[in-house]
């Protein structure tokens, strides 16, 4: 009791001292940074139709889930939501992998998590580069000290099994990175046979499906994909900040064979596997997860489960096809038209892409984007993802584009 | 036009092929994973009063901001919100550092970002360990290949300037890590003089203020702190998922002098500095930020700016003091009572901490927590943070505890 009394008595004393510091600080102008005026004005968020390469708009139900009151990150209700997210990811990925979970970060964070868990310093990784995402993966793998080999294709093209096999034979990598939906160019990479090919050459297959998941068929188990990840803010219509990821048994074994710990604790899959209840052990605290983002992600996956994958694939195909017909009808030239979620159109001659995107935003409240990485300045990108993939939105964006082509300045050809 | 027509004609053809794959998959049972039943039930989130060590409850205004419709991550309105967040962080941290921004991850992510940007392989870091956060920082620094030296104190104690100076002299570190608010033990670390001390020994001062920011005075510039970070989900009352961080000019120079790139792209401060408009260059896309989490964080910082730092410090002091008096009045023994945001109480003899926390949750809808790391099994932790720091909540948790002590099983002493 004496210790307790002492502890209690130190509280006011220490506080008097600390607040004394604060008061002296103010008196002697130590509290130099004043409340910023711009923060004292109310937050204003205009309504926009987001038809760029993501994020896409968020349905009311998902926004409401994200606005629910918080719970603790170890509460049984939250662990239950996490279990439901796992099941939803298994459905969306078409996998039975136990090690399926959502990362507490964006799709970019998932790319990093996949690479830093799979690779150790000196490991050889082959990166298929036909747009910005391969470039990014190579950059991250180099930072991790991996031996990075590049397999190059011009932007707009995809890799054939022959391309891949040549790379595997030449470089003997432990991991192959490839992008399913190249959102910078609009290319959909066929995945048939790649898993089997990789496994025949003792290599793991790592696939980025950030821009394609839910919009184009993918069968993780059937296609023998070892690591697959996506983001929340594309077809799932969930705000950015969480990223589904899954590891096959082969990939899990590679993690178990590591000689060194991954250079990140936040993204260490062995810790996350425990926190997500994937390892059969009692769940331990790892980090404070973005709980309400999990609520939103759960609802996005629930919407996909309710409507069905096949219907989602078909809807994206049909509306993308309508859009392409409309664009061609306006005399525009498609850059590549394989990815059903994001369509790339060449910037029409004589126009500035910036004028067109700014016109659509200012006059029609519609976002479409310019190019990115290798397509910067060359294309316009139009996304129709999840709830945004509708016939109405196709008509709205075509109408807005028609208006832009009439009213934006055009240099003489 | 021919190329365009061809491109368009490949779309339906490729799609027929892909959907053919999908249909065959279904016909031959390749689509093996069905929509999970648990996702088809509505999401249920009970209301809880979160008086644990965080997250704390989220006021309606902040929840509404997070539920606003999304904008694109490069839209001017979002860049404006990011500028306002920067200003809010500068106010909360009492700093004029240009390199102040919010990370797209939790407080844990900020710890990792601070260490991986400051340290290169082989750099010596001195980690002050008197609870779980020092342990975690040491673990992360080891993963990064740093030379990690530990300065140890028993849980519940803090470090004196003499302790620190001995460590600096003995180990000659480039960076000292120390925790301002040790949420596992309830200790508030005095910071006066530490910055000056570190700088005299050619060392940078890195401070974790996840559990203390806004609840206890901190003056980043005046106290010569080089890197300071916090989380969103404590006193700021914002859902977890973003983390304020700031680098002094000295710390920024260390980043510029790096011989190697940081092992993370997602958390590379030079990229983030550009995306956040801290480097005077045109802003470039880096990653898709958690936009609506930024809206929430902006509102949390706005609330702090409206009410004022001094008033926030004083409110936390007063309610924590009330709580301590009440706990002592019930015959409970305080473990350490210096941190005004989280109070640690010894588990009363004969009781199980699990019984008490479960009773409060089940019968009163109130979360309090057990210990963590070195205090696991030894203490109860009661958090009064941000909007949860009220006289009403003090009375509610004291009443609930009184009820628990009467009704939970007690072994004979």
């Amino acid at each position: 009791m004496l210790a307790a009394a002492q502890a209690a008595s130190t509280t006011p004393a220490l506080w008097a001292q600390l607040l004394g510091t604060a008061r002296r600080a103010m008196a002697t102008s130590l509290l130099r940074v004043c409340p910023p005026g711009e923060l004292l004005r109310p937050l204003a968020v205009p309504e926009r139709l987001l038809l760029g390469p993501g994020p896409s708009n968020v349905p009311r139900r998902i926004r409401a889930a994200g606005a629910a009151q918080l719970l603790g990150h170890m509460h049984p209700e939250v662990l239950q939501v996490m279990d439901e997210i796992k099941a939803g990811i298994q459905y969306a990925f078409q996998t039975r992998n136990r090690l399926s979970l959502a990362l507490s970060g964006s799709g970019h964070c998932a790319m990093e998590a996949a690479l830093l868990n799979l690779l150790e310093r000196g490991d050889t990784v082959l990166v298929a580069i036909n747009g910005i995402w391969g470039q990014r993966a190579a950059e991250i793998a180099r930072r991790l000290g991996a031996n990075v080999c590049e397999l190059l294709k011009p932007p707009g093209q995809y890799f054939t099994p022959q391309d891949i096999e040549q790379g595997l034979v030449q470089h003997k990598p432990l991991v192959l990175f490839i992008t399913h939906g190249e959102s910078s160019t609009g290319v959909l990479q066929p995945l048939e046979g790649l898993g089997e090919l990789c496994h025949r050459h003792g290599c793991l297959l790592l696939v980025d499906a950030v821009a394609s998941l839910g919009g184009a068929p993918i069968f993780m188990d059937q296609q023998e994909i070892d690591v697959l990840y996506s983001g929340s803010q594309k077809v799932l219509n969930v705000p950015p900040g969480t990223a589904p990821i899954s590891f096959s048994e082969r990939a899990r074994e590679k993690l178990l064979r590591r000689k060194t710990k991954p250079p990140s604790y936040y993204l260490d899959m062995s810790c996350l596997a425990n926190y997500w209840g994937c390892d059969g052990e009692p769940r331990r605290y790892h980090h404070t997860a973005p709980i309400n983002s999990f609520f939103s992600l759960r609802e996005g996956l629930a919407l996909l489960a309710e409507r069905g994958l096949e219907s989602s694939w078909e809807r994206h195909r049909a509306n993308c096809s309508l859009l392409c017909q409309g664009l061609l009808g306006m005399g525009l030239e498609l850059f590549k038209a394989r990815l059903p979620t994001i369509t790339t159109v060449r910037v029409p001659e004589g126009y500035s892409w910036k004028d067109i995107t700014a016109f659509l935003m200012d006059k029609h409240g519609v976002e479409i984007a310019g190019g990115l990485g290798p397509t910067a300045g060359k294309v316009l990108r139009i996304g129709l993802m999840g709830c945004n993939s509708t016939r109405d939105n196709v008509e709205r964006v075509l109408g807005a584009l028609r208006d832009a082509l009439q009213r934006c300045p055009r240099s003489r050809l």
Side-chain angles (χ1 to χ4, degrees), chain A residues 66 95 211 290 401:
Chain A
T95 182
L401 266 175

Side-chain angles (χ1 to χ4, degrees), chain A residues 224-239:
Chain A
E224 297 189 25
I225 298 166
D226 293 299
V227 182
L228 183 64
Y229 64 84
S230 191
S232 56
Q233 77 277 13
K234 310 269 182 176
V235 170
L236 293 177
N237 294 129
V238 175

Side-chain angles (χ1 to χ4, degrees), chain A residues 20 38 40 63 75 180 193 212 227 266 269 283 375-376 381:
Chain A
E38 60 268 45
L40 304 178
R63 288 158 62 186
H75 287 196
H180 188 224
S212 58
V227 182
Y266 190 61
M269 285 303 296
R283 293 177 178 201
T375 59
R381 296 185 296 159

Side-chain angles (χ1 to χ4, degrees), chain A residues 28 58 60 96 104 111 127 166 172 191 231 257 265 277 286-288 290 295-296 305 309 312 362 380 391 393 401-402:
Chain A
T28 58
V58 181
R60 189 171 297 277
R96 295 189 193 285
S104 303
M111 178 190 280
V127 182
Q166 277 181 12
K172 300 187 179 33
L191 297 172
R257 282 197 310 272
Y265 184 88
H286 175 253
H287 70 288
T288 303
F295 293 163
S296 306
L309 268 174
S312 180
D362 294 345
L380 298 169
R391 180 182 278 264
N393 283 344
L401 266 175
R402 234 175 259 121

